[in-house]
Amino acid sequence: MMHGFLDAFLVPAILAILRGAQPPYRDGGGRGPTPGLHGPTQLDCFEQYGGMRGQIMADITNINRERYYHLFTQKPYRPTPVLVINPLYKCWNDQYQTVFDSITSKIGPTQMFASFHGPHAKAVGEMADILIENIDTTDPSNSKAIEFFYYIKQRGDIHPQLFVNALPSALVATGSSLIGEPTPPLVEMFPSRFMPNLVQVPGIRPAEQSLRGSNKTCVKVNERWGSTKTNGIENRLCPIPRRGELFYFFHHDLMARYASERMANGFKDYFVEGIKPIVNYELKQGFDSNLRDGVSNLNWVNRVNSTFLNKTSLPADLYKKLEKHIILWRRVNEITQTDKVLDGNNDTVPLMPKPDGINTIGELFEASEWSINSYFYGDEGWHNTAHDILGSVLMEKDQEKRDEWGVLSDVATAVRDIYFYRIHNEVNNMFMRYKDKILKPYELTQGDYPFVVPGIVTKSIQVQGDTYHHVNNLTTLWRNKDMVLNGGLDIKPNKPGHELHLSVCLKHLDHEEFTYTIELENQGTKDRRVFVRLYMAPRYNLDRKRFNLTEQYRLFFTMDAFPIMLTPGVNTIHRKSQDSTVTNPWFTLTSELPPRSSLENIGKTCPCGYPHHLLLPKGSDDNLGVYDLVALVTDGADYNGQPTDLCASSYMHCSRLDGNREYPDVRPMGWPFDRRPSDDLSQADLDKLVQQVPNMAKTTVTIVHDDVVPKEHVI
């Protein structure tokens, strides 16, 4: 993972590809795409046949959002003869055939795609490289790029998920103006990756099993359909600022939220055990996703209870990876304890400067193209290899016959499995070992990034629900969402003209919207810009005792962060939950689009963000859901974002997609709850810290859950 840092972001649906398949890693330190990958430089095919565009490609000089959008809708029924008669496509065939042969030798067009599997990830990298070559950033119409994308789609031998995984890296590397252009959501591109039993048996179309207008029970599927995170995408030409740190921050936030929900539901092990896959490690919990892949028509491999990682459960090549995996873990762990790292020249050097230390660990632990030493720390990284190993349990051992994978092998399906969270808690643990061992706690007024900011007083904070209007008492609930999904790149219709339509009713967690009211005092005589950060964490342990700060700081997760201008004196700020810079609203389906003529007027949207309906953790029915809500205000200079940034509305997990790609918050991500408390505060509760920080305030919020199940209905 995870989610590295999809940081430069893309097409709305593509970004939902969580911590996607990483491009191939080369010699330590990262060098970007390999020069001369395709042999000697050749005459640009698009320029060579440009004079024929009007004859062989309709409207190629007037490319608009409509054409780009439909790259990601239903794939052609059969390979098109245009590849033979179209001189431009024939030229591209001749130019790139060697590369396509290499790609298809790693993953065929009808095989099951697993983004964490090494060969598939390398194929993604090769595809990204040739996409980069054909994105012309000097052409605002993107004519060449979109025509090349259509050429890839119409070849018929490129796996659709391979293309969708590769495109984000290519757009980011080139700074393409296609970043943020509308596309269908991932669930519409690949519905079989999200909906159980969608593909029943060969030859029967899902549309014949699920007709619009029939009575259907709502299904509770992967609630994180809309979760688009900035992990996995990388710039193959130059490193993205703080990408490795965002890899840490996203995992930390995710695991704090997950622990909070487990606690509210009565789990004593609310922080699940971090897994370190070693020989004979027991996977106690089995799992069956009930998913059938639409491209290959194969089931995802299930796992029985008490499966041991050994030569019996793993293919030989994955067993060798397992034997090396603990070595990779020890090497990374040594960095967290010594503050030293082995660089690309095999020299042991200090992990400096300090602000970049966490970034260096993130880049190599994942690993990304920019790992400081991918040979020593693993060219696939501890995190990606863990997914590959656990996703390969009980699969076919004969490589020639191997065609099925477990859900942990792919970013779109992994979140279903409990071991997804165990892998990612170990990722979080690794970063916290470094911060706890090497980095000093933040001080009140001294040191780097102190708590106290003179001249600002946070007098109070409260929250009120917009539905029930209770102060500091919020409600989560179940909702049904009706969706009509058009097409699907993973399910081929029986014949041309018979498009696939799926009517789906999704039962999902949601919450009442709410409003923060924050009183801030500007003690100066002039207007002052400030930066407001909002956090939440469980207040009590399962024995109903207050957490001390040492226990609680790892449970804080971000709710919002935003700049605002204060006039001298007391200011009352009202902030809507819908405006959170952590989340994004529900995606827009093809069936929900305006008329065709209006598509180009939609404008760009941020394709990244945590699902807004999951902003609050699920409430508790027995009053366990009591949280501390914290407002911490610092100087406005801490925020260097702009309202015009593509992802200004959800930058916290996404950074920026365009323009200046520096992360908008100059302080460490997760500050100040990313480091252990000082010794004098370690056994104290949160109240003592707040009393010493004038620009900090807190309140207690109770989240309850309305467990009424929405009625079934006709869609």
Side-chain angles (χ1 to χ4, degrees), residues 434-467:
Y434 167 73
K435 286 179 173 278
D436 290 349
K437 173 75 174 181
I438 303 300
L439 302 184
K440 296 180 180 179
Y442 298 114
E443 300 178 32
L444 293 177
T445 59
Q446 304 296 320
D448 57 336
Y449 311 109
F451 280 93
V452 176
V453 177
I456 303 172
V457 176
T458 307
K459 300 179 74 67
S460 67
I461 179 174
Q462 71 173 35
V463 64
Q464 183 173 20
D466 294 347
T467 301

Side-chain angles (χ1 to χ4, degrees), residues 46 82 222 266 370 396 555 560 566 601 675:
F46 195 74
V82 75
N222 182 358
W370 305 103
E396 172 61 53
L555 289 165
D560 201 353
L566 301 182
N601 297 322
R675 297 188 193 177

Side-chain angles (χ1 to χ4, degrees), residues 294-580:
V295 174
S296 63
N297 205 32
L298 296 172
N299 290 316
W300 291 85
V301 177
N302 62 9
R303 183 183 65 247
V304 298
N305 291 336
S306 296
T307 297
F308 290 85
L309 298 179
N310 53 35
K311 292 182 178 180
T312 301
S313 64
L314 288 170
D317 55 328
L318 271 300
Y319 182 76
K320 290 180 180 178
K321 275 191 175 184
L322 175 65
E323 291 181 310
K324 296 178 181 178
H325 201 236
I326 190 62
I327 298 175
L328 297 182
W329 183 92
R330 288 169 182 160
R331 289 173 177 175
V332 179
N333 188 64
E334 185 177 6
I335 299 173
T336 70
Q337 302 302 297
T338 64
D339 200 25
K340 295 180 180 179
V341 64
L342 196 69
D343 68 11
N345 296 319
N346 290 324
D347 294 326
T348 300
V349 297
L351 193 63
M352 295 288 282
K354 280 293 184 290
D356 291 334
I358 197 74
N359 188 68
T360 300
I361 295 174
E363 295 282 25
L364 62 84
F365 198 46
E366 186 180 12
S368 79
E369 181 80 13
W370 305 103
S371 169
I372 193 171
N373 189 337
S374 59
Y375 178 80
F376 186 73
Y377 296 108
D379 62 354
E380 294 177 25
W382 183 93
H383 164 269
N384 291 1
T385 303
H387 272 275
D388 195 13
I389 292 172
L390 296 187
S392 303
V393 170
L394 302 181
M395 64 184 293
E396 172 61 53
K397 295 183 181 180
D398 187 339
Q399 280 190 305
E400 297 298 322
K401 299 178 181 178
R402 188 182 307 167
D403 49 15
E404 295 176 313
W405 306 90
V407 294
L408 285 170
S409 296
D410 190 73
V411 294
T413 55
V415 72
R416 293 172 168 272
D417 194 323
I418 180 64
Y419 282 96
F420 168 89
Y421 296 98
R422 297 190 186 279
I423 291 172
H424 293 154
N425 202 37
E426 183 55 34
V427 172
N428 186 45
N429 289 343
M430 186 66 79
F431 287 116
M432 298 313 294
R433 290 185 195 105
Y434 167 73
K435 286 179 173 278
D436 290 349
K437 173 75 174 181
I438 303 300
L439 302 184
K440 296 180 180 179
Y442 298 114
E443 300 178 32
L444 293 177
T445 59
Q446 304 296 320
D448 57 336
Y449 311 109
F451 280 93
V452 176
V453 177
I456 303 172
V457 176
T458 307
K459 300 179 74 67
S460 67
I461 179 174
Q462 71 173 35
V463 64
Q464 183 173 20
D466 294 347
T467 301
Y468 301 105
H469 306 292
H470 297 150
V471 175
N472 291 338
N473 195 311
L474 302 175
T475 301
T476 60
L477 64 157
W478 299 114
R479 292 195 197 278
N480 288 341
K481 181 174 177 61
D482 297 338
M483 296 185 290
V484 177
L485 308 181
N486 294 332
L489 298 175
D490 57 347
I491 300 176
K492 187 183 297 185
N494 282 343
K495 53 186 176 180
H498 287 65
E499 291 79 11
L500 182 65
H501 297 282
L502 299 174
S503 296
V504 178
C505 175
L506 169 67
K507 175 188 173 184
H508 66 89
L509 183 68
D510 207 341
H511 56 82
E512 65 170 321
E513 299 298 348
F514 51 92
T515 302
Y516 303 98
T517 300
I518 311 168
E519 280 200 344
L520 303 176
E521 182 180 359
N522 173 7
Q523 296 182 325
T525 59
K526 298 180 180 179
D527 290 354
R528 181 174 182 179
R529 189 170 184 253
V530 298
F531 190 38
V532 182
R533 295 174 173 84
L534 303 179
Y535 305 93
M536 188 177 278
R539 180 179 177 86
Y540 301 108
N541 63 23
L542 294 178
D543 295 325
R544 306 298 296 160
K545 296 180 180 179
R546 281 286 300 274
F547 281 119
N548 62 42
L549 280 173
T550 298
E551 298 165 330
Q552 191 181 32
Y553 86 104
R554 291 189 64 174
L555 289 165
F556 275 100
F557 51 88
T558 51
M559 293 292 290
D560 201 353
F562 57 93
I564 197 164
M565 187 68 72
L566 301 182
T567 59
V570 176
N571 297 249
T572 300
I573 309 301
H574 299 287
R575 175 79 171 179
K576 293 287 188 181
S577 58
Q578 297 96 316
D579 296 330
S580 171

Side-chain angles (χ1 to χ4, degrees), residues 646-658:
L646 182 57
C647 281
S649 61
S650 56
Y651 79 86
M652 296 200 73
H653 289 165
C654 307
S655 190
R656 287 165 155 170
L657 299 188
D658 49 359

Side-chain angles (χ1 to χ4, degrees), residues 167-320:
L167 184 57
S169 291
L171 296 181
V172 170
T174 58
S176 172
S177 60
L178 290 171
I179 296 172
E181 288 290 344
T183 66
L186 194 65
V187 67
E188 196 162 24
M189 291 189 205
F190 303 108
S192 69
R193 298 235 155 184
F194 299 92
M195 286 175 280
N197 303 316
L198 178 61
V199 183
Q200 299 287 346
V201 293
I204 298 181
R205 293 173 56 211
E208 295 170 351
Q209 306 162 16
S210 177
L211 299 176
R212 188 179 306 181
S214 62
N215 288 307
K216 295 198 301 299
T217 301
C218 277
V219 293
K220 184 179 180 183
V221 295
N222 182 358
E223 291 179 353
R224 286 173 171 78
W225 277 1
S227 179
T228 59
K229 304 171 180 69
T230 59
N231 308 87
I233 294 177
E234 55 183 292
N235 189 335
R236 296 177 58 74
L237 301 181
C238 61
I240 296 168
R242 299 174 71 180
R243 179 186 183 277
E245 185 182 3
L246 190 54
F247 180 67
Y248 145 73
F249 179 51
F250 168 74
H251 282 91
H252 181 78
D253 228 34
L254 177 70
M255 294 313 303
R257 287 177 174 275
Y258 185 60
S260 297
E261 294 209 25
R262 288 178 64 85
M263 183 178 297
N265 283 279
F267 285 90
K268 293 183 178 180
D269 58 337
Y270 48 88
F271 266 125
V272 293
E273 173 195 6
I275 181 175
K276 295 188 286 290
I278 57 176
V279 174
N280 290 324
Y281 184 93
E282 181 183 6
L283 304 176
K284 296 180 181 180
Q285 294 169 278
F287 181 74
D288 186 354
S289 68
N290 294 309
L291 291 179
R292 190 177 183 89
D293 179 51
V295 174
S296 63
N297 205 32
L298 296 172
N299 290 316
W300 291 85
V301 177
N302 62 9
R303 183 183 65 247
V304 298
N305 291 336
S306 296
T307 297
F308 290 85
L309 298 179
N310 53 35
K311 292 182 178 180
T312 301
S313 64
L314 288 170
D317 55 328
L318 271 300
Y319 182 76
K320 290 180 180 178

Side-chain angles (χ1 to χ4, degrees), residues 3-32:
H3 352 189
F5 188 96
L6 308 180
D7 258 26
F9 319 81
L10 312 115
V11 230
I14 299 179
L15 276 202
I17 290 193
L18 233 133
R19 310 200 14 63
Q22 295 293 333
Y25 309 103
R26 303 184 174 90
D27 51 310
R31 299 290 187 271

